[in-house]
Amino acid sequence: MNTRLGAWALPISILLITLTGCSMNEEPNNVPFAGTSTSSAASDQLEKASSEIYDLITVKGETSDSRAGVMDCAGKDREKYFRVFHPWSFYPSSADQLDQAMEQLKQDLPKHGWKIVQYGPDRSRNKNLTLTADNDERKSSVKITQDAKNDRPKLSLMLISGCYQIPADQEIERF
């Protein structure tokens, strides 16, 4: 399932507001410095983290087809600093497996370097169950929302990196 980036604008904005309060607060705006990298290499690393999270879900299902994107680091020179994000969805084979997939992630993410910093219902009308976890080693966060009441129940996942600096002889690719 291909999703246009424009459809993710609101969820990305909400996620960024939510994640700026996470525990990774090495920077004044609570966004950790993730190191020096090209945007392409940073994107590959975040997609690898997404893949590893997907591997923790042992129930059968399918995922959306999405790629990572590049965004600015708030308050930093947009020619030198960037972040990457990767939104994707997991659709279990049957709706009754949604709870199992979410519970599995809650149990297994901490075993793989993720610290759960928030777990519980969100403020939406549906009171969707959400899980936010930080990985201090990877300088990234994931927010997982259990959308049980959708026409097609799913887990919505959004991974976002800390703030990278582009190497001196490189330019940030925006995708």
Side-chain angles (χ1 to χ4, degrees), residues 78-89:
R78 74 179 311 271
E79 300 301 318
K80 295 181 182 179
Y81 298 93
F82 67 94
R83 297 175 79 183
V84 291
F85 63 93
H86 186 219
W88 58 281
S89 299

Side-chain angles (χ1 to χ4, degrees), residues 2 18 22 24 28 41 54 83 86 104 110-111 132 143 170:
N2 288 322
T18 302
C22 69
M24 297 187 305
Y54 171 75
R83 297 175 79 183
H86 186 219
Q104 226 170 0
K111 298 175 188 173
T132 303
K143 182 170 184 179
Q170 300 284 320

Side-chain angles (χ1 to χ4, degrees), residues 100-131:
Q100 179 185 350
M102 187 67 147
E103 185 61 31
Q104 226 170 0
L105 289 169
K106 180 183 170 193
Q107 290 178 9
D108 290 345
L109 282 170
K111 298 175 188 173
H112 293 87
W114 296 89
K115 178 183 175 188
I116 296 176
V117 295
Q118 186 274 328
Y119 184 80
D122 64 14
R123 296 181 190 173
S124 73
R125 182 177 354 162
N126 291 335
K127 302 292 183 206
N128 297 315
L129 184 60
T130 62
L131 180 154

